[in-house]
Amino acid sequence: MANTVIIGAQWGDEGKGKIVDMLSASSDVIVRFQGGNNAGHTIEANGKQTILHTIPSGILHPGKLCLIGNGVVLDPFVFLKEVDGLNENGIDTSPRRLGISYKTHLIMPYHVALDKAREAYKAGSKIGTTGRGIGPCYEDKVGRVGLRAGDLTNPDLASRKIAAALVEKNFLLKNLYGSEPLDAKTITDQVMAIAPRITPYLTDVSGAVQESVLIGKDVLWEGAQGVHLDVDHGTYPYVTSSNTVSGCGSTGTGIGPNYLQQVLGIAKAYTTRVGAGPFPTELDDKTGAFLREQGHEFGATTGRPRRCGWLDAVVLRESARLCGLTQFALTKIDVLRNLPILKICVDYMYKGHRIEYPPQGENALAEVTPVYEELPGFTEDISHCKHMEALPYNVQKYIQRIEALTQVRIAYVSVGPDRDQTIIC
Ligand code: GDP
Ligand code: IMO
Ligand code: MG
């Protein structure tokens, strides 16, 4: 496995966890580079389901080094809960194989409180965040007042930062949002109580990745969310607060872009989105309900029902451009079984013109009309297929059409949630 960045090519929940887990078998290092516990990455292996929010999806493979990069925002309480859960299942989460960058910003209880208070305050214009404090934590990072994982080795610095943060946050919580203020000492005590469990994980992630690459080990960069939730290139303002494009693999771990040899985009065979924002191919009908039902489209983090719609090749084409995709993994194609017709959005109509890429203005995606192409469906059970040739003709045609529309090769086809239900093309 070459050094590979793995990103979601749509609006998240494409099956990144499954593919990262599968590819971890032939890799040595797995590093998360952005996002936080807004992510929910599901792995099914040996009859067991594991959902990871902060820890890289390579952790189930013994001996693989799993790292959390500087681009991630980490809730230390959630991290420890995840560590405990994995330990109960016999998974080694010791600092020998799990590391956190000194530079990773920490999500504090006041970030979570602000995230929730703001969403409640917004009434009609909610983003539909996961309420995990992601936005407020990244705001403190770029505002140069954030608490970083390395600060936990310096109790004076950590308590000063928490106290300073609360002067501002409590003003907002109390006076603007009408919520309860938080107590600096209580939070400092809670954080310092868990610090001895976090600090052994502190690592120079940039150095560890460089060292691994130089001795010929293979590295996977695990993205969270999806390209169209990117804070710059996504459907702003209905986005997350980090860069989700492949370039963040470099900045979010501290390694030159020339280390990233391949860029694998994970694309669902249809489209889903959680939270608010434009979604041109959304289906508010019985086909949408069918996809939600068959695909079990309920959030791995919040349990919210996911909005469902047809595959959008325009969205995928833009993901290919923004990320330099070298290949796709196409997931959940088994879910399309028994639909008589499969539609693919091949272009958009926008202000009377047919366009191949999304329009660039804010919320312009809400004004496009999809141009659909119809392909015949399939009724066969494909969940046990192991080779491309074993797939029904109509499934092969669907896959080939996506390749032609995006000019990106499909290297993996996933036909079920299990690690083993994957065709290598
Ligand atoms: P991630 O956030 O991109 O890791 O994706 P999620 O874990 O949030 O959502 C993907 C869901 O689809 C999970 O429940 C997976 O177990 C499941 N899944 C992944 N690949 C397939 C597939 O090929 N077929 C089916 N039926 N389910 C899949
Ligand atoms: P994974 O890694 C799907 C969405 C939220 C909301 C927007 C902003 O599992 O694919 P945030 O809490 O980040 O400020 O919310 O982004 N969102 C996701 N949607 N999958 C995710 O992660 C997501 N992480 C955030 O629903 O619309
Ligand atoms: Mg998810």
Side-chain angles (χ1 to χ4, degrees), residues 244-264:
T244 57
V245 292
S246 57
C248 195
S250 168
T251 57
T253 57
I255 213 74
N258 53 324
Y259 280 75
L260 315 175
Q261 296 170 315
Q262 292 188 3
V263 187
L264 173 62

Side-chain angles (χ1 to χ4, degrees), residues 313-334:
V314 182
V315 155
L316 295 183
R317 217 177 265 141
E318 192 181 42
S319 296
R321 180 172 76 187
L322 292 168
C323 296
L325 295 183
T326 55
Q327 52 204 297
F328 274 125
L330 189 69
T331 61
K332 303 193 85 160
I333 196 159
D334 53 298

Side-chain angles (χ1 to χ4, degrees), residues 110 158-167 170 181-191:
Y110 45 82
S159 64
R160 265 189 282 127
K161 282 192 177 182
I162 293 169
L166 275 171
V167 172
N170 276 341
L182 298 168
D183 180 52
K185 179 163 180 344
T186 308
I187 294 179
T188 306
D189 289 350
Q190 286 168 348
V191 170

Side-chain angles (χ1 to χ4, degrees), residues 12-16 38-42 225 299-301 306:
D13 302 327
E14 298 90 349
K16 297 175 292 293
N38 46 352
H41 294 181
T42 314
Q225 290 80 54
T301 296
R306 296 174 181 150

